[in-house]
Amino acid sequence: MNLPNKLTLFRVILIPFFVFFLMYDGTLIPLGVGKWIALAIFIIASLTDLFDGKIARKYNLITNFGKFMDPLADKLLVCAGLICFVELGRMPYWVVILIISRDFIISGFRLVAADNGQVIAASWWGKVKTTVQMVMEILMIANLEALNILTQILMWAALALTVISLVDYLVKNWKVMGDLK
């Protein structure tokens, strides 16, 4: 259990705390306090994602556990936030379904590719989508009225980038599915 893997596990452990503080702001937690704690947890969890990959590559600490758990931890964190935003009335359910569906489709493609000894690298579109999505989630957690228009613009941008990156992955990697009968 090396440092990058510990950071990945730490990210997974943070998810229920993130959800708790976000969802119970104003009920079990004094109004306004929970969202700031949730925001801090989300940012810390997001930073662990940045650092675990850099450390693993720099010190050659890449493991099968990390290859499996790192993307899973990312998806769990992002999906937890998106689902909470639907419940809180900050995001339409269908946007969340599209974003989550894209991640499942790409994960499926990667599994098929891996089974065939191929690696599907993250695309530029996917990286931009992830960045926009993370900034959007930070703004949705903060839920500041002064930033509502920016938050909405980022939500629509994240949705557009979700579709664009999905099409990009499908077009560039459709040959991976060629062996299916």
Side-chain angles (χ1 to χ4, degrees):
M1 186 57 59
N2 61 34
L3 180 58
N5 290 342
K6 288 177 183 175
L7 289 171
T8 297
L9 281 179
F10 181 61
R11 183 163 63 258
V12 172
I13 291 167
L14 288 176
I15 295 169
F17 295 97
F18 160 65
V19 170
F20 174 81
F21 284 107
L22 182 61
M23 295 305 296
Y24 292 103
D25 186 40
T27 55
L28 297 177
I29 304 160
L31 185 61
V33 173
K35 77 175 181 180
W36 297 115
I37 295 171
L39 180 61
I41 292 170
F42 185 84
I43 291 170
I44 290 166
S46 296
L47 289 174
T48 66
D49 181 35
L50 177 70
F51 293 129
D52 67 5
K54 286 185 184 286
I55 293 168
R57 285 185 294 277
K58 182 175 181 176
Y59 295 103
N60 197 26
L61 296 173
I62 297 168
T63 64
N64 286 335
F65 176 84
K67 288 179 193 176
F68 172 74
M69 278 305 295
D70 181 62
L72 181 60
D74 299 342
K75 284 173 185 37
L76 289 172
L77 176 65
V78 168
C79 290
L82 294 174
I83 292 166
C84 288
F85 300 146
V86 171
E87 178 67 21
L88 294 168
R90 297 179 193 169
M91 203 170 192
Y93 70 89
W94 62 270
V95 172
V96 172
I97 290 170
L98 285 173
I99 291 171
I100 292 173
S101 295
R102 179 253 183 220
D103 285 342
F104 274 100
I105 292 167
I106 300 303
S107 294
F109 260 73
R110 286 191 167 130
L111 283 172
V112 170
D115 196 41
N116 292 325
Q118 301 172 28
V119 175
I120 297 178
S123 74
W124 181 86
W125 287 108
K127 290 177 183 181
V128 172
K129 179 220 41 118
T130 299
T131 302
V132 170
Q133 194 173 351
M134 291 301 206
V135 173
M136 174 206 69
E137 288 208 33
I138 287 168
L139 292 178
M140 286 216 177
I141 296 164
N143 196 30
L144 299 173
E145 194 171 325
L147 297 175
N148 278 348
I149 292 173
L150 177 59
T151 304
Q152 288 299 305
I153 290 169
L154 288 173
M155 181 189 75
W156 293 113
L159 179 62
L161 289 165
T162 294
V163 173
I164 291 167
S165 66
L166 174 61
V167 170
D168 181 59
Y169 272 107
L170 293 177
V171 168
K172 288 180 179 174
N173 299 293
W174 192 253
K175 65 185 172 296
V176 168
M177 302 303 277
D179 292 337
L180 297 179
K181 304 278 187 229

